[in-house]
Amino acid sequence: MFAKKLWALGSVMALSVTLAACSSDEDESTDTTGETTVEKELSVGVPSGWDEGIVVSHMMAIALEEQGYTVDLTDADIGVVFTSIASGDMDLLFDAWLPLTHANYIDQYGDQLEDLGIWYDDAKLTIAVNNDSPITSLEELADNAEVFNNEIVGIDAGAGLTQTTESAVIPQYGLEGMNFKISSTAAMLAELDSAMAAGDDIVVTLWTPHWAYGAYDIRDLEDPQEALGGAEEVHTFARVGFSGDHPEVAEMIGNFELTGAELSDVENYALNENADQPLEQAIGAWLDENPEVRDRMNLEG
């Protein structure tokens, strides 16, 4: 069942994503009547495997296209997206976590980015286990490594969650003897799905909000040393000059917010319950059922 979901999401991403060759501009063109029109094009970098970024990027694309814009979505590693925004080859990134997860990218590219604001302020990095596992804290993991096949199942190498696990969680809790499997979000979720179906114990790197918490009987391990940090804010970053080129879009993005319940609900609806549907169709249907969220993306305020 989960393999079908992953295949569907991968297929939808392939259909939804259009690679952007250059940063957006309002280019002039001539229509069939010979009159000059303005084509409003925006390019958005979508971090691979980060579900909140996937759904919010598609929500924004749907809303902006309904208001006359053309939006190109590019699926890429988070590091590639930051580099592309900083160089001006992309316009927008809706999924930058601060102050911890993506701090290294801000240190590197901060003066080449515009911070358009925070749309969610209670995101958390986590280490999760099946609910019936015998431990409750990261402090117990090293002594119970064999219970979990001596493995911590991670996501992609470029993710801030992976870097935090390597640089903070593993050394602070003495987990150097465990195999930290760096793979991808899809591969991690596939292993989680298989373990839960088989009744096996498993430990994975995860984050909240995420639809997996509703789909599986899992819980977070306590982090008494706060190696994973506290609550984080999810920012939207743009290329330098974006606010001047698209002031109405920048203002709308700066005012946009989602609640935790809304974010969890749209993720579960689009990526889990309706994973067999095209992503744009599923998110569009969710917006139809939640018009107050669509209204927050109205450029007229």
Side-chain angles (χ1 to χ4, degrees), residues 86-293:
S87 66
D89 291 331
M90 292 182 188
D91 290 311
L92 293 164
L93 163 65
F94 288 103
D95 201 18
W97 288 39
L98 292 174
L100 175 65
T101 304
H102 296 137
N104 59 325
Y105 294 115
I106 303 305
D107 290 341
Q108 185 174 359
Y109 300 118
D111 59 353
Q112 298 166 264
L113 306 169
E114 288 187 5
D115 188 346
L116 299 186
I118 300 162
W119 59 265
Y120 186 69
D121 64 1
D122 195 27
K124 295 183 178 70
L125 301 180
T126 64
I127 304 292
V129 295
N130 49 295
N131 197 37
D132 58 356
S133 71
I135 67 173
T136 60
S137 172
L138 281 165
E139 291 186 324
E140 303 171 90
L141 184 54
D143 290 337
N144 292 273
E146 291 185 1
V147 173
F148 302 96
N149 197 32
N150 206 44
E151 292 179 342
I152 301 170
V153 183
I155 58 173
D156 52 289
L161 173 57
T162 300
Q163 296 169 13
T164 298
T165 302
E166 289 182 311
S167 65
V169 175
I170 289 174
Q172 288 185 37
Y173 289 103
L175 304 175
E176 292 87 351
M178 295 187 72
N179 176 28
F180 182 35
K181 294 178 63 177
I182 298 174
S183 54
S184 67
T185 300
M188 178 275 291
L189 290 170
E191 290 205 37
L192 176 63
D193 184 76
S194 296
M196 297 300 293
D200 297 333
D201 293 297
I202 188 170
V203 55
V204 300
T205 64
L206 200 56
W207 62 95
T208 63
H210 194 283
W211 60 263
Y213 287 96
Y216 303 109
D217 189 19
I218 57 178
R219 57 179 167 80
D220 297 335
L221 290 178
E222 296 172 4
D223 178 20
Q225 298 187 37
E226 298 185 349
L228 289 162
E232 298 214 50
E233 300 168 336
V234 186
H235 294 240
T236 299
F237 279 96
R239 61 171 173 80
V240 170
F242 181 85
S243 295
D245 294 339
H246 304 284
E248 72 289 347
V249 179
E251 181 179 3
M252 179 272 289
I253 291 172
N255 293 328
F256 179 75
E257 292 181 347
L258 280 178
T259 67
E262 290 167 342
L263 185 53
S264 296
D265 191 50
V266 66
E267 283 188 19
N268 186 56
Y269 185 92
L271 303 178
N272 183 34
E273 293 179 351
N274 296 284
D276 57 341
Q277 295 182 15
L279 189 54
E280 290 182 357
Q281 178 179 326
I283 292 178
W286 187 89
L287 287 172
D288 289 341
E289 296 176 8
N290 296 269
E292 69 282 2
V293 177

